[in-house]
Amino acid sequence: MSSFTHWLRHKLAQHGWTYSELARRAQLSPAAISRLLSEERQPGVRAARSLAHAFQLPPELVFRQAALLPPRAPDRYQPLLETVCLLDDDALAFLLRIARSLPPHS
């Protein structure tokens, strides 16, 4: 069972919802929910956004569960990522040159 399917089954159980109830709340067909739970189909952006709305979760969380976004970096990297996002192209290129010159961590 994929981690997304496991997560979706857990959310259904947590809310005490049937497939039909989730379909209604997510405005998806019961068949679409069934295909997701049987792993016949992977969720796309529309389905993930609809599931986020149904479960009242941030879309980013569902997108990550569905592998539509990469996993979130560990918290210890967040200050670095936030800073890097503010750099202009020249500063970013300079930082990459420095980072690539560092010896690998072992």
Side-chain angles (χ1 to χ4, degrees), residues 21-103:
E21 180 63 15
L22 175 58
R24 184 184 71 74
R25 289 174 182 263
Q27 298 181 340
L28 296 170
S29 70
I33 300 298
S34 178
R35 284 191 295 271
L36 291 173
L37 289 166
S38 68
E39 298 183 350
E40 203 176 301
R41 186 151 184 190
Q42 292 299 310
V45 171
R46 181 180 170 276
R49 187 174 288 124
S50 295
L51 292 169
H53 176 77
F55 290 124
Q56 297 182 342
L57 295 169
E60 177 188 355
L61 189 148
V62 180
F63 283 27
R64 290 192 195 287
Q65 287 294 328
L68 295 169
L69 286 175
R72 188 174 187 277
D75 287 342
R76 69 184 188 156
Y77 296 128
Q78 289 307 311
L80 177 62
L81 293 172
E82 290 166 10
T83 302
V84 167
C85 288
L86 300 174
L87 298 176
D88 64 27
D89 290 345
D90 291 337
L92 182 58
F94 178 72
L95 180 60
L96 286 172
R97 281 195 303 276
I98 292 171
R100 289 178 178 142
S101 72
L102 296 172

